[in-house]
């Protein structure tokens, strides 16, 4: 099992980014997506609204998850955080 995991890890790490999209797809992609994905890129203005909306949601989610992992603001002595960290 570990050999399979190591093989998959090496394939993912060693795989060049430019090999993810073929040359025809790279020609059709906008500048920001060249070499990353297959198919045509966003074709209408509404597609870009959807993409930037998704980027904003992911960014907000990442920020809040890191914020609440670093400082959860739970000070109750019986909170699960204190039970796990301090064994109380």
């Amino acid at each position: 099992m570990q050999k399979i995991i190591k093989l998959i890890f090496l394939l993912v790490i060693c795989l060049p980014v430019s090999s993810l999209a073929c040359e025809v797809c790279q020609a059709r992609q906008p500048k920001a997506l060249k070499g990353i994905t297959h198919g045509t890129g966003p074709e209408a203005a509404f597609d870009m609204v959807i993409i930037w909306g998704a980027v904003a949601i992911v960014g907000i989610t990442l920020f809040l998850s890191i914020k609440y992992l670093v400082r959860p603001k739970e000070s109750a002595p019986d909170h699960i955080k204190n039970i796990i960290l301090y064994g109380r």
Side-chain angles (χ1 to χ4, degrees), residues 7-17 19:
L7 179 64
I8 292 171
F9 178 74
L10 286 174
L11 286 175
V12 170
I13 295 298
C14 296
L15 186 68
V17 174
S19 68

Side-chain angles (χ1 to χ4, degrees), residues 21-30 33-35 37-41:
C22 64
E23 293 180 20
V24 175
C25 293
Q26 285 182 0
R28 294 180 182 173
Q29 290 293 330
L33 297 174
K34 283 191 187 281
T37 184
H38 283 284
T40 60

Side-chain angles (χ1 to χ4, degrees), residues 1 6 8 19-21 27 29 40 47 52 60-61 70 88:
M1 185 68 175
K6 287 179 184 178
I8 292 171
S19 68
L20 295 176
Q29 290 293 330
T40 60
D47 293 344
W52 284 110
I60 291 169
T61 304
V70 172
R88 296 182 193 167

Side-chain angles (χ1 to χ4, degrees), residues 46-87:
F46 188 67
D47 293 344
M48 293 306 291
V49 170
I50 294 171
I51 290 170
W52 284 110
V55 167
I57 290 170
V58 169
I60 291 169
T61 304
L62 179 65
F63 171 76
L64 290 174
S65 65
I66 291 172
K67 176 184 173 186
Y68 289 120
L69 280 172
V70 172
R71 296 182 188 244
K73 296 185 181 177
E74 290 291 340
S75 58
D78 60 339
H79 189 266
I80 192 163
K81 171 194 73 166
N82 294 325
I83 295 171
I84 291 172
L85 292 178
Y86 308 115

